[in-house]
């Protein structure tokens, strides 16, 4: 058993590389925050496009549904590789965009952010959709009958109610998103998984990877508990509200 | 009939293969109260939804203050602002399930559309909103959320909300059907006052007493057509059509 503990829980190695792995983990968090915020907005845009009314907007609906389905069907890693492997060579795109180095972050960071936004935007669009569809039809009808446009009704009536119904599934997406930031290590971005793999290769010891796992646990476990709490709270709200609906 | 406000000619409406309205003709004069009765599925509610284009008809004409609201660019799709703005600024609607905005207070429910659609200032719309809620007897409930109000109070807020847009016609879609019996009167009283003030109203209801007392005309619908129409007394007390007699027999028997 000693061999086991030395392989995975060598506190000497953990201590020696703690700062290095922690700093790399902060890069995971940074990707997470940037991609998370943009995906949250992109997902809402997709959800609204998908719910757009009328015959004229049918092409937008079809395109949006196709986008959402396709992006959810392709492995995230493949998308990351497609973007980072090809975009730098698309010479018709301005250099500052095709090889982005914004805010002092290297281009793999931005390729990773882009891939995560494209894919998680699609996932989050579906979460928004569930929320929007959970708002009774009568809300939209009442808003429209008062003269509001479809977009006004969405903005002031439907979406504000929809977002109160989805914090739990949305938080689940965020937990997945944080974990998936590790895939950006495949395109040589120095986040925690890449750094601990380098330590593994150097020392033939996995303790740094365990340290990385620990950092993710610290963030994701409370998140999972929070999801459960939100689901319970939402359910009790529904049961409390139900008699009012009928009254 | 007084100056015509709403005029329907041969209106047809289907949902998929189900034809709900099979050619309806109906006229509502200015200041008139028309009460529409009929069994469920007879197309009464769909008729109201046609008039404010929530469910644009496939065939026929609907004139609102003389303008055919089913013609013009993009008509029939339900998304052409050409007619929608015209209609929705003139026609208010109150729903069976109230459909109040649960995340807004009573006052905010009433002031939202005037602010966003008519571009009124907060102060102006709130002053008007307060007066309207006062008028429906809820002047002391301004800051309350719908879930803290009774069904009757919610429905009165919904009436005030529709009135805030200063409609020329009000549509009422079985507005007392979802209410506990003891709460029905307060809503009917509000509607009665509205009728006395000269509002043009198209009322789908099962309240025979209300139709008799307040209605200028009673329209009996069944199977997507108007079966019988006339003064309340005539239609309710001595209906000519057999279908009307049968329906009234069933309703009054209760």
């Amino acid at each position: 058993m000693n061999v086991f503990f030395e392989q995975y829980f060598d506190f000497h190695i953990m201590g020696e590389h703690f700062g290095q792995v922690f700093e790399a983990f902060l890069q995971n968090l940074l990707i997470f925050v940037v991609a998370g915020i943009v995906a949250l907005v992109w997902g809402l845009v997709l959800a609204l496009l998908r719910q757009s009314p009328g015959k004229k907007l049918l092409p937008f609906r079809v395109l949006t549904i196709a986008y959402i389905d396709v992006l959810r069907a392709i492995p995230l890693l493949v998308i990351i590789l497609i973007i980072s492997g090809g975009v730098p060579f698309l010479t018709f795109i301005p250099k500052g965009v095709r090889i982005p180095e914004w805010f002092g972050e290297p281009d793999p960071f931005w390729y990773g952010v882009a891939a995560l936004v494209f894919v998680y935007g699609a996932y989050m669009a579906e979460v928004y959709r569930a929320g929007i569809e959970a708002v009774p039809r009568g809300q939209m009808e009442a808003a429209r009958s008062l003269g509001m446009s479809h977009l006004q009704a969405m903005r002031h009536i439907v979406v504000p109610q929809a977002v109160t119904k989805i914090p739990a599934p949305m938080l689940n997406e965020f937990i997945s998103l944080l974990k998936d930031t590790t895939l950006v290590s495949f395109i040589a971005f120095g986040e925690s998984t890449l750094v601990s793999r380098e330590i593994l290769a150097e020392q033939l010891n996995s303790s740094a990877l365990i340290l990385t796992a620990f950092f993710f646990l610290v963030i994701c476990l409370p998140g999972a508990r929070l999801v459960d709490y939100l689901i319970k709270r939402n359910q009790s709200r529904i049961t409390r509200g139900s008699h009012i609906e009928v009254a | 009939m007084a100056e015509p406000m709403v005029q329907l000619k041969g209106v047809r409406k289907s949902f998929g293969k189900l034809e709900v309205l099979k050619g309806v003709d109906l006229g509502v004069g200015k200041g008139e109260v028309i009460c529409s009765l009929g069994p469920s599925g007879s197309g009464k509610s769909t008729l109201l939804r046609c008039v404010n284009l929530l469910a644009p008809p496939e065939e026929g004409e609907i004139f609102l203050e003389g303008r055919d609201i089913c013609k013009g660019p993009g008509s029939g799709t339900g998304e052409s602002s050409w007619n929608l703005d015209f209609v929705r600024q003139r026609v208010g609607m109150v729903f069976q399930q109230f459909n109040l905005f649960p995340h807004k207070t009573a006052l905010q429910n009433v002031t939202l559309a005037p602010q966003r659609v008519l571009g009124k200032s907060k102060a102006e719309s709130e002053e008007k909103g307060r007066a309207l809620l006062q008028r429906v007897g809820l002047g002391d409930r301004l800051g309350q959320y719908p879930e803290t109000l009774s069904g009757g109070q919610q429905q009165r807020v919904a009436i005030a909300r529709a009135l805030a847009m200063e409609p020329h016609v009000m549509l009422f879609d079985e507005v007392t059907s979802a209410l506990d019996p003891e709460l029905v009167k307060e809503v009917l009283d509000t509607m009665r006052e509205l009728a006395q003030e000269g509002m043009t109203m198209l009322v789908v209801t099962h309240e025979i007493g209300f139709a008799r007392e307040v209605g200028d005309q009673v329209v009996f619908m069944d199977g997507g057509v108007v079966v019988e129409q006339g003064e309340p007394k005539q239609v309710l007390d001595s209906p000519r059509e057999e279908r009307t007699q049968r329906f009234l027999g069933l309703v009054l028997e209760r």
Side-chain angles (χ1 to χ4, degrees):
Chain A
M1 275 314 262
N2 245 355
V3 179
F4 176 86
F5 277 104
E6 272 169 23
Q7 176 59 230
Y8 288 111
F9 297 95
D10 186 326
F11 292 118
H12 178 71
I13 290 182
M14 283 191 190
E16 198 181 333
H17 296 284
F18 186 90
Q20 196 188 349
V21 175
F22 181 71
E23 257 178 47
F25 181 68
L26 290 183
Q27 291 296 311
N28 287 94
L29 287 183
L30 192 61
I31 295 185
F32 165 72
V33 170
V34 175
I37 291 170
V38 182
L40 205 56
V41 176
W42 179 226
L44 180 59
V45 170
L46 288 171
L48 290 176
L49 280 172
R50 187 180 179 141
Q51 303 279 333
S52 57
K55 277 182 197 136
K56 256 186 259 167
L57 297 174
L58 182 68
F60 286 99
R61 279 200 293 282
V62 172
L63 277 177
T64 310
I65 292 170
Y67 172 95
I68 292 172
D69 287 355
V70 168
L71 271 279
R72 286 189 308 159
I74 301 174
L76 176 57
L77 180 54
V78 175
I79 307 245
I80 292 176
L81 294 174
I82 288 174
I83 292 177
S84 71
V87 172
F89 303 109
L90 301 179
T91 44
F92 57 87
I93 302 173
K95 188 150 184 278
V97 176
R98 110 181 107 91
I99 307 174
E101 282 165 358
W102 308 324
F103 303 106
E105 290 292 341
D107 51 315
F109 176 92
W110 296 109
Y111 295 140
V113 165
L116 286 164
V117 165
F118 287 150
V119 171
Y120 274 86
Y123 281 119
M124 288 178 185
E126 289 297 279
V127 175
Y128 281 118
R129 176 165 80 122
I132 289 170
E133 285 176 356
V135 176
R137 271 181 69 94
Q139 291 290 308
M140 174 58 89
E141 287 187 346
R144 297 303 304 271
S145 79
L146 288 165
M148 281 185 235
S149 68
H150 177 86
L151 264 183
Q152 280 178 322
M154 275 290 180
R155 180 174 156 210
H156 298 292
I157 306 302
V158 178
V159 172
Q161 293 182 61
V163 295
T164 66
K165 296 172 194 285
I166 56 173
M170 202 52 105
L171 197 52
N172 266 329
E173 295 300 335
F174 274 103
I175 291 172
S176 296
L177 172 59
L178 175 57
K179 292 188 294 176
D180 279 349
T181 58
T182 55
L183 290 174
V184 186
S185 65
F186 274 86
I187 52 173
F189 178 67
E191 50 68 73
S192 55
T193 317
L194 186 80
V195 167
S196 21
R197 275 185 69 194
E198 281 166 357
I199 296 167
L200 168 68
E202 237 170 64
Q203 315 251 355
L204 301 179
N205 186 291
S206 305
S207 299
L209 275 169
I210 294 294
L211 194 56
T212 295
F214 172 76
F215 287 138
F216 278 95
L217 275 178
V218 166
I219 304 279
C220 292
L221 272 189
R225 292 294 93 219
L226 188 56
V227 169
D228 271 11
Y229 166 76
L230 288 172
I231 289 173
K232 276 219 187 83
R233 197 188 62 168
N234 202 27
Q235 270 165 353
S236 66
R237 230 192 232 161
I238 290 163
T239 25
R240 260 192 298 130
S242 61
H243 73 281
I244 294 160
E245 290 272 331
V246 186
Chain B
M1 196 172 78
E3 180 192 335
M5 188 68 126
V6 182
Q7 191 101 44
L8 288 84
K9 284 182 184 163
V11 168
R12 285 172 180 275
K13 174 74 189 171
S14 306
F15 294 105
K17 278 186 185 150
L18 181 72
E19 191 171 37
V20 182
L21 295 179
K22 300 171 181 170
V24 172
D25 301 296
L26 187 67
V28 187
K30 195 172 181 203
E32 266 189 336
V33 177
I34 308 277
C35 291
S36 172
L37 309 174
S40 61
S42 59
K44 314 173 300 273
S45 293
T46 306
L47 188 74
L48 293 192
R49 276 152 201 274
C50 280
V51 171
N52 79 346
L53 297 182
L54 272 182
E58 277 110 32
E59 260 181 69
E61 297 167 313
I62 301 177
F63 293 93
L64 177 63
E65 295 182 341
R67 171 158 154 183
D68 186 349
I69 56 173
C70 300
K71 285 227 172 63
S75 59
T77 63
E79 286 309 322
S80 140
S81 67
W82 193 77
N83 279 321
L84 277 188
D85 294 348
F86 179 83
V87 171
R88 303 235 167 106
Q89 278 164 25
R90 284 166 180 75
V91 181
M93 184 158 183
V94 185
F95 300 84
Q96 183 175 358
Q97 296 293 346
F98 329 137
N99 297 349
L100 287 184
F101 307 134
H103 59 305
K104 305 267 180 198
T105 64
L107 185 60
Q108 286 168 342
N109 262 279
V110 177
T111 58
L112 182 69
Q115 285 174 18
R116 298 293 168 183
V117 179
L118 303 179
K120 286 194 179 171
S121 73
K122 195 167 187 274
E124 190 189 357
S125 62
E126 282 186 355
E127 193 189 325
K128 179 98 193 286
R130 263 189 225 106
L132 280 168
L133 285 170
Q134 194 87 48
R135 181 166 150 195
V136 298
L138 295 171
D140 53 344
R141 309 277 172 166
L142 303 175
Q144 281 184 237
Y145 285 89
E147 65 168 358
T148 67
L149 298 170
S150 75
Q153 290 168 334
Q154 288 192 50
Q155 197 56 296
R156 284 184 282 151
V157 173
I159 293 173
R161 178 176 70 174
L163 290 175
M165 294 299 286
E166 300 176 2
H168 302 181
V169 186
M170 284 281 278
L171 310 175
F172 293 86
D173 187 8
E174 297 195 32
V175 294
T176 57
S177 299
L179 294 176
D180 290 337
E182 76 273 18
L183 302 176
V184 168
K185 187 174 177 294
E186 59 190 71
V187 173
L188 291 183
D189 284 346
T190 305
M191 292 165 67
R192 194 174 287 122
E193 280 168 30
L194 205 53
Q196 279 159 5
E197 288 162 20
M199 176 62 78
T200 308
M201 292 161 60
L202 189 48
V203 184
V204 169
T205 184
H206 293 300
E207 300 290 335
I208 306 286
F210 179 84
R212 185 193 304 276
E213 184 205 338
V214 182
D216 294 304
Q217 295 262 316
V218 168
V219 174
F220 176 74
M221 285 184 70
D222 192 12
V225 292
V226 173
V227 174
E228 187 163 0
Q229 178 177 4
E231 304 220 328
K233 239 178 151 123
Q234 181 261 308
V235 177
L236 296 173
D237 295 338
S238 44
R240 277 188 289 260
E241 300 289 329
E242 197 236 322
R243 273 193 281 182
T244 321
Q245 291 165 8
R246 198 162 3 114
F247 175 77
L248 288 172
L250 287 171
V251 171
L252 297 173
E253 228 171 59
R254 281 192 305 176

